[in-house]
Amino acid sequence: MSKNSENINIGMLVNTKKAEAMLIAERLLRWSKAKGISMLFPPHEAHVLGTPETPDEEWKKIVDIAIVLGGDGTFLRAARYVVEANIPLYGINAGQLGFLSCGNKDDAEKDLELIVSGEYTIQSRRLLHGEIYRENSKKHQLFALNDLVVTKGSFARLVSLGIYVNGRHLTDLRADGVVISTPTGSTAYALSAGGPIVPPHVPCVILAPICAHTLYSRPMILSDEDIISIVPEGQNREIMLTQDGQLGYELLPGDRIDMWLDKEKNISIITLRDRDYYALLQEKFKWGHSYE
């Protein structure tokens, strides 16, 4: 870390709708004042917490690291917020499972002590790049830390999807949908769809069908060099593409969604020595625990 603790600017991104996250924010604000460390809040958080605000663009320029208070959904929104600024993120969990926001709320001050002392490492997580084409014209470009999911609408029956890899037709899939996931997202929707757990440093993309109407459809690991294309087929007009489960785009039959692991876009995630990925798996899945 290039700055000492007196000069470091810590940004804070908070799920202001979670009472637990707000309590942690107030604790850390008191801690930062006692330590003489700058804690910077973008406009929304500043308004709710009653602190001085830093305009969004200025915040992104001067913040050295950012603390994210909430659950994994909050972390995903924070990732989109800082993607162009490449600010390292550390998530403190005030939600449920917490694979991205993996810090323990009870140890928040201790974790920040380690971070401002430079006792951390940074993992670079590559983003999934998606482009939606309609009649050969690009309509949307989007990036996802976890996954891009093509799925049926609320009342639709199975969707028919053409699956292509590097322009070659792989299969036609009839299912509730399909998850295209990064390794980071392997413990999210892809896991629920029967996909494998993939450590974040493994360069690959996961293709996981959702409730496929065939015995022969299985999750698949593809290379980080592969381009996956999905084309909705038939006449079903209730099809959605969701970005990290938070933003949605309506798809029409004949649209094409190209997806690949981006070589340049990434999110930097702060990792503490005793909170590495495998320790996190043990904790969240209760591996190694006795059930007697």
Side-chain angles (χ1 to χ4, degrees):
M1 204 167 65
S2 60
K3 297 186 178 184
N4 60 39
S5 61
E6 289 78 15
N7 296 325
I8 190 171
N9 290 321
I10 300 178
M12 190 179 291
L13 300 169
V14 187
N15 185 339
T16 57
K17 295 181 180 180
K18 283 185 178 290
E20 189 69 50
M22 292 293 289
L23 290 173
I24 301 169
E26 291 165 356
R27 276 173 43 202
L28 294 181
L29 188 55
R30 291 193 295 270
W31 172 88
S32 68
K33 289 179 178 178
K35 295 289 183 178
I37 296 172
S38 297
M39 191 75 77
L40 303 176
F41 297 85
H44 174 72
E45 282 85 344
H47 175 74
V48 177
L49 285 163
T51 63
E53 72 174 60
T54 305
D56 289 315
E57 291 309 312
E58 182 182 353
W59 188 95
K60 293 175 187 179
K61 287 179 181 178
I62 65 176
V63 163
D64 298 301
I65 60 173
I67 307 302
V68 183
L69 305 181
D72 283 353
T74 308
F75 196 98
L76 290 168
R77 287 191 291 275
R80 287 197 298 274
Y81 181 67
V82 306
V83 63
E84 298 298 337
N86 196 28
I87 296 169
L89 300 177
Y90 183 70
I92 296 175
N93 188 29
Q96 299 297 319
L97 198 55
F99 270 99
L100 292 169
S101 292
C102 59
N104 188 317
K105 62 185 179 182
D106 297 327
D107 297 326
E109 291 89 349
K110 183 178 76 172
D111 289 354
L112 260 66
E113 290 275 7
L114 293 172
I115 290 170
V116 298
S117 299
E119 298 180 43
Y120 65 87
T121 58
I122 291 180
Q123 283 190 345
S124 183
R125 305 284 184 94
R126 290 170 67 181
L127 297 177
L128 193 63
H129 187 151
E131 294 181 349
I132 303 173
Y133 289 85
R134 181 167 297 159
E135 297 178 352
N136 293 319
S137 176
K138 186 165 74 172
K139 295 296 183 182
H140 295 289
Q141 174 177 280
L142 54 159
F143 297 91
L145 178 57
N146 267 358
D147 49 43
L148 295 172
V149 180
V150 178
T151 187
K152 65 179 185 177
S154 300
F155 301 104
R157 296 185 179 180
L158 297 177
V159 293
S160 296
L161 304 171
I163 310 293
Y164 299 77
V165 178
N166 301 326
R168 177 191 178 100
H169 181 249
L170 180 65
T171 187
D172 291 314
L173 179 68
R174 281 182 57 77
D176 282 359
V178 63
V179 181
I180 308 299
S181 171
T182 66
T184 298
S186 70
T187 49
Y189 199 169
L191 184 65
S192 300
I197 296 171
V198 180
H201 61 272
V202 177
C204 69
V205 177
I206 303 158
L207 188 157
I210 306 169
C211 298
H213 199 247
T214 171
L215 295 176
Y216 303 106
S217 181
R218 293 292 183 267
M220 186 175 181
I221 298 287
L222 296 125
S223 163
D224 64 332
E225 299 292 331
D226 288 330
I227 298 175
I228 303 165
S229 301
I230 298 177
V231 178
E233 299 171 339
Q235 300 302 312
N236 192 332
R237 301 182 73 88
E238 293 185 46
I239 306 174
M240 293 290 294
L241 174 69
T242 57
Q243 175 187 7
D244 281 335
Q246 295 181 336
L247 300 176
Y249 304 84
E250 182 183 19
L251 299 177
L252 298 177
D255 287 354
R256 187 181 85 246
I257 310 98
D258 293 341
M259 291 163 280
W260 64 93
L261 209 57
D262 199 278
K263 294 182 182 297
E264 297 178 356
K265 297 279 187 183
N266 60 74
I267 297 296
S268 297
I269 296 180
I270 291 173
T271 303
L272 301 181
R273 184 168 55 187
D274 62 346
R275 302 285 297 170
D276 68 16
Y277 182 74
Y278 298 103
L280 187 62
L281 287 181
Q282 285 184 304
E283 176 189 330
K284 300 302 179 182
F285 291 134
K286 310 298 182 186
W287 289 348
H289 289 229
S290 173
Y291 293 99
E292 296 179 0

